Structures are given as C-alpha cells and as structure tokens.
Amino acid sequence: MIRSVLAILAAACFAAPAAAAVQPFPASFKTQDVRLDGVTLHVRVGGHGPAVLMLHGFGDSGDMWAPLAAVMVADHTVIVPDLRGMGLSSHPDHGYDKKSQGADMLRLLDRLQVRRFDLVTHDIGNMVGYALAAQQPDRVTRWVVMDAPLPGLGHWDDQLKNPKTWHFNFHGPDEERLVKGRERIFLDRFYNELSADPKRIDVATRRHYAVLYARPHAMHDALEQFVAFPADGVDNQAFVARGKLTMPVLAIGGSASYGASLATEIGFAAANVKSAVVQNSGHWLMEEQPAATVAAITGFLAAP
C-alpha cells in the first residue's frame, strides 16, 4: 500500500508544473452544499467502501486533503467538508466552539447515512475531531491527528505562552480592518514561520488560500475559531472527565514542529496513541511533505 501511495504521489509531482497549484480532487468526486441546522457545509464526497472523514485547519480548507483523497478513494468513501465559516461553507454568526462544530460533522454524516468512519484531522480540525469523537466515540474506528494540541488539556497553558501563537488573541473589528485586503500577507506569516522550509508552500497555494480567506466574513469567522478556545478548553475537560477515547490513534507531528511530543499531548485525551514524525516538515505536513504524510496515514488506517 505504502509503495503504491508513493508511486502515485511521485507521478503527480513529476506531472505538475514548476509553479504548482493546489491539487484538484479526482473527477469522480461530487461536490455538494449540505444544509444542516444553522449552517451549510461545502462537502466533497467520492469513492466506495469504509468511510473516512477529513477535517482541515486554519490557513487551509478541505482542499488541503486532495493528495490523500486521491489515494484513499480507491477503496474508501472519502468525505471532505469545509468547516463552518471557512472555505466555501456558510458563515453563521455563532457556533465556532468545537463542540458545536463536532455536532455539525455528526449531522453531516447522518445525512450521508454514514455510521462508522475513520477520522483524519489537522490543526483546528483536531479540535473539532476530538469534540466529535468525544460526543459519539463508538462511531470513530481510528483517528489520525496532525500537529496541533487540544485546548484545555495537557500542556495547553505552555502553548498559550509561545510567541508564535500571538494570533490566538488577535481578533476584533480593528484587527480585522488591519488584515482586510492583506490576507495574503497575514497568511504568509503562518506559512513562513510554522514551516520547516517556506519554499515548500508554493506561490500558487498561497494565492489560492488568500482568495478564500478574503471572501466576505471569512477572516472574521476564522478568528472566531481562536476566540472559542477558552470555551473549548472547558468542554474538553468535561469530555476527559468521562474517560479517555479508546480507539487507535496516530499522532503525527512535523520534525520542525510538534514532532513526537504531539503523542504526549493527545495522550491526555486518548488511551491508545501511537506516534509518527514526518521529517523535514513543520506544521504544514500535507503541503511540505505530502508523500511521507500520506504514507503514514494510509499505513495506519490499513493496519489490522
């Protein structure tokens, strides 16, 4: 499986132009806007077989998962939404706490008639994924969690003291005025400082996401994800008080980012955690080292 993954990704890289853009999803995927209670989610669905749900984070949209989706669609039903207020999903005025967004995903899966599923998440997606799994743990078969900790758990307070996370408290009308029209500059800061090599996130990719985050209300809602962190911490502590998750979990960290320490952080919420470190990568694993990241994910999900 891993050899076939590497072959597919290598072929894609050789076929890509020098100024690569965000990889499109395979033509077999269907895109739909699913109306739920209070939100409309932009969702890509393709393939047949066991279901896998992929959740993106800040600075990305569901588009980030295209290289992984292209591999897994061969033998899975792949479901890739944009989180509320991000990408091409709608922009409700509230509901950016991760417990509410986890409920979004559960309602989406009910609408798609999916009961059991694997879960693959990154960044803010980790937080939504944990809230989802903690609310209905019997539905998640395996969880791959990538390069971000969970609010309120483990060493979260140390995370809040990290100078690189100043943006957690960067929100409000004046802050939004500063960023308006400068979305590319704002996002470049994250791509540059949180990567092992900023050149791994190409110009076309940066432009793609800058356009999405410049859409009306998009940056406001992205920042609302951070505003909700204190409430998320309270919710997460209540979830843990009920008991740790028991499904198999793979915690993947970039060698220039969380690395092996991510497994320690996720271990405060889950009892069966394995660690994987992607070398020569920072936070943006799917953009910086897609082949190694996809191989780690598919290898874990395929394990007996």
Side-chain angles (χ1 to χ4, degrees), residues 233-284:
V234 173
D235 288 336
N236 288 346
Q237 290 168 11
F239 289 144
V240 167
R242 302 176 193 170
K244 291 186 178 183
L245 301 177
T246 59
M247 76 285 292
V249 177
L250 177 67
I252 305 178
S255 63
S257 188
Y258 282 93
S261 69
L262 184 66
T264 300
E265 296 305 309
I266 302 304
F268 289 98
N272 183 9
V273 183
K274 294 183 178 180
S275 177
V277 177
V278 174
Q279 298 300 318
N280 302 312
S281 183
H283 178 67
W284 308 99

Side-chain angles (χ1 to χ4, degrees), residues 50-290:
V52 56
L53 175 69
M54 303 177 186
L55 302 181
H56 69 91
F58 174 75
D60 282 306
S61 71
D63 292 337
M64 68 170 284
W65 296 116
L68 176 61
V71 173
M72 296 204 69
V73 72
D75 52 10
H76 284 77
T77 298
V78 180
I79 304 163
V80 187
D82 290 343
L83 300 179
R84 67 162 60 204
M86 302 177 83
L88 297 179
S89 290
S90 68
H91 296 270
D93 292 332
H94 52 79
Y96 294 96
D97 64 283
K98 310 312 175 290
K99 182 177 179 179
S100 294
Q101 293 187 77
D104 285 346
M105 297 306 144
L106 292 168
R107 288 195 299 271
L108 170 64
L109 293 164
D110 288 343
R111 182 71 60 85
L112 297 175
Q113 298 184 326
V114 171
R115 175 64 188 170
R116 297 267 288 170
F117 55 94
D118 291 331
L119 182 61
V120 181
T121 65
H122 178 248
D123 191 76
I124 296 290
N126 294 351
M127 304 172 190
V128 176
Y130 174 61
L132 178 166
Q135 289 178 79
Q136 295 192 13
D138 61 312
R139 297 182 67 171
V140 180
T141 51
R142 293 174 185 261
W143 180 21
V144 178
V145 55
M146 294 167 48
D147 214 72
L150 302 173
L153 302 184
H155 300 96
W156 178 255
D157 286 346
D158 292 334
Q159 179 69 38
L160 298 178
K161 299 171 187 175
N162 186 338
K164 290 186 176 182
T165 61
W166 61 266
H167 58 284
F168 287 2
N169 291 310
F170 183 83
H171 50 79
D174 292 331
E175 288 80 354
E176 290 172 31
R177 287 171 58 210
L178 288 171
V179 175
K180 186 175 177 60
R182 304 176 181 89
E183 291 83 8
R184 168 69 189 278
I185 296 172
F186 187 60
L187 292 174
D188 274 347
R189 178 261 163 183
F190 300 98
Y191 302 142
N192 293 341
E193 292 191 16
L194 303 183
S195 60
D197 180 358
K199 294 190 293 295
R200 299 293 300 183
I201 300 127
D202 59 71
V203 171
T205 296
R206 294 166 185 253
R207 288 174 178 164
H208 175 85
Y209 289 118
V211 168
L212 286 176
Y213 281 83
R215 291 168 60 87
H217 229 248
M219 190 60 74
H220 171 83
D221 293 341
L223 299 179
E224 286 294 301
Q225 301 281 356
F226 306 130
V227 173
F229 280 175
D232 297 335
V234 173
D235 288 336
N236 288 346
Q237 290 168 11
F239 289 144
V240 167
R242 302 176 193 170
K244 291 186 178 183
L245 301 177
T246 59
M247 76 285 292
V249 177
L250 177 67
I252 305 178
S255 63
S257 188
Y258 282 93
S261 69
L262 184 66
T264 300
E265 296 305 309
I266 302 304
F268 289 98
N272 183 9
V273 183
K274 294 183 178 180
S275 177
V277 177
V278 174
Q279 298 300 318
N280 302 312
S281 183
H283 178 67
W284 308 99
L285 292 147
M286 285 299 300
E287 288 83 8
E288 296 183 66
Q289 297 293 343

